[in-house]
Amino acid sequence: ENSPAPLPERAIYGFALFLGSWFGFMLYLIWAYVPETWLFSLGLTYWPQKYWAVALPVYLLVAIGIGYILLFGINMMSTAPLNSTHTITDSYAKKQQQKKLQEEAIPALRDIPISEVNRMFFLPEK
Amino acid sequence: ERRFRSASGQPIALRRRQHSASCRELAVRCPRLQLRSLSAVTSAVWLAAYGLFALSENSMVLSAAIFITLLGLIIYLHFVKVEQESLLVIGSLGIQVTSSYASGKESTTFIEMGRVKDVVINEAIHMQKVIYYLCILLQDPGDPEGISEVVPLFQSSKPRLDCLIEVYKSCQEILEQRTAPRVE
């Protein structure tokens, strides 16, 4: 069965990810800070340009900042305008069938039309 | 005339007039243009223009700022600033919606009663708030069950729920006469 309890396999995956991320971080620091001549003298010549050691983090942070604004904008654009019928009903509510009322049973779930809801809320009970 | 508040807190006033048993007029009056906000905007624009003039030493900036302020004020009063929004419900004829702007312009829409399904208070998400607003549900004359269009009312004054309930009750009293059998 699926359970979130700790398992030996999960511990091993976690430790492997931990080692991998530390190795990646050390590699990034070495690439960014160690001068090129020292790396060439070791025989490691095939590195990307050091320009990217600064550019990639900046790109990432700007993308995250724009992502906040973009998400807000997408949400506002997807909101139905006040004059659209999507605020009142939708395709499922239009096609719903009227179920027969059975005595002594809980009535079936249905979408109540907005006129009925308004009358119930705002007109005083006669 | 009764005082209410709009959704953003501005004071608005509702006036109800009963012309006859099946004809009612409901008018919502928005607050007038405040002198302090007008002078604040004008001073801000002129200060910015003076700053630009100090940087660029070009005196056209100042005259352009005056021109822009005057033109902007005229456009705002004529197209944006709504002074009064009114709803005229005539029992067997239809519903007329009028918006009067601050410059005196009036824009009117008439919807015949055959197309009107109901007048309801709906709630929807608007900008970052959920607001109640009154709207007319229109139906196709050939399809009395479906809603073909939604016409929101009082868009500029945006009254709160207490004012909307008053308007809703008044409208429903007239609209109920459509289906109720006439008792002589």
Side-chain angles (χ1 to χ4, degrees):
Chain A
E1 288 289 310
N2 299 329
S3 84
L7 293 174
E9 294 90 27
R10 290 179 179 161
I12 294 173
Y13 299 153
F15 191 59
L17 273 176
F18 171 70
L19 286 181
S21 58
W22 262 112
F23 174 70
F25 186 50
M26 286 300 134
L27 192 64
Y28 170 76
L29 285 183
I30 290 172
W31 166 49
Y33 282 107
V34 173
E36 281 207 331
T37 47
W38 296 14
L39 293 172
F40 285 172
S41 68
L42 283 175
L44 306 161
T45 53
Y46 198 64
W47 296 95
Q49 279 187 324
K50 281 188 189 275
Y51 160 80
W52 292 109
V54 179
L56 282 177
V58 172
Y59 272 129
L60 188 68
L61 289 175
V62 171
I64 290 175
I66 290 184
Y68 274 113
I69 302 173
L70 195 71
L71 188 67
F72 188 68
I74 289 179
N75 278 336
M76 283 186 73
M77 279 176 59
S78 324
T79 310
L82 291 186
N83 64 346
S84 99
T85 52
H86 292 287
T87 54
I88 310 263
T89 182
D90 68 353
S91 53
Y92 299 103
K94 284 187 196 146
K95 285 189 283 201
Q96 67 181 349
Q97 293 128 350
Q98 303 282 346
K99 298 201 176 66
K100 292 234 316 256
L101 184 68
Q102 290 168 332
E103 300 297 328
E104 309 266 330
I106 302 174
L109 202 63
R110 69 179 180 104
D111 188 39
I112 305 177
I114 187 170
S115 310
E116 228 177 286
V117 174
N118 266 276
R119 269 193 289 274
M120 192 182 69
F121 276 151
F122 303 124
L123 291 181
E125 294 299 311
K126 295 189 172 59
Chain B
E1 193 171 277
R2 286 188 55 184
R3 304 206 169 276
F4 290 99
R5 291 218 163 254
S6 81
S8 48
Q10 315 279 334
I12 56 174
L14 170 72
R15 196 188 60 209
R16 276 184 293 198
R17 283 171 62 176
Q18 172 126 0
H19 295 287
S20 85
S22 62
C23 175
R24 282 214 190 133
E25 184 179 5
L26 300 126
V28 173
R29 205 161 40 87
C30 308
R32 307 184 104 98
L33 182 62
Q34 301 279 347
L35 184 62
R36 54 174 178 231
S37 60
L38 176 65
S39 29
V41 171
T42 310
S43 324
V45 171
W46 285 359
L47 272 175
Y50 189 72
L52 271 180
F53 166 70
L55 280 174
S56 67
E57 304 292 328
N58 184 7
S59 67
M60 282 297 290
V61 173
L62 296 174
S63 30
I66 295 177
F67 182 66
I68 287 174
T69 315
L70 278 176
L71 195 65
L73 182 65
I74 292 177
I75 290 179
Y76 176 71
L77 289 180
H78 194 67
F79 291 108
V80 175
K81 179 88 185 92
V82 170
E83 188 195 12
Q84 172 174 289
E85 292 171 304
S86 78
L87 190 68
L88 177 67
V89 185
I90 307 178
S92 47
L93 196 61
I95 301 182
Q96 175 167 292
V97 182
T98 315
S99 298
S100 337
Y101 292 85
S103 63
K105 171 174 103 161
E106 284 196 11
S107 111
T108 313
T109 314
F110 178 76
I111 304 165
E112 55 173 351
M113 210 37 116
R115 283 178 60 200
V116 169
K117 184 166 195 281
D118 203 0
V119 172
V120 298
I121 298 180
N122 191 18
E123 40 188 326
I125 303 176
H126 174 70
M127 299 294 256
Q128 78 287 7
K129 288 197 282 218
V130 175
I131 57 166
Y132 291 98
Y133 65 104
L134 197 72
C135 57
I136 308 179
L137 303 179
L138 301 185
Q139 69 195 8
D140 263 334
D143 176 24
E145 291 301 313
I147 298 171
S148 72
E149 215 181 304
V150 172
V151 177
L153 302 173
F154 301 125
Q155 292 278 74
S156 303
S157 45
K158 289 201 182 59
R160 287 190 179 170
L161 189 61
D162 43 7
C163 179
L164 288 179
I165 293 180
E166 297 290 331
V167 180
Y168 174 75
K169 284 185 195 165
S170 288
C171 290
Q172 285 296 322
E173 278 168 23
I174 309 256
L175 289 177
E176 272 164 1
Q177 297 169 6
R178 285 188 301 176
T179 51
R182 292 190 48 186
V183 178
E184 294 295 332

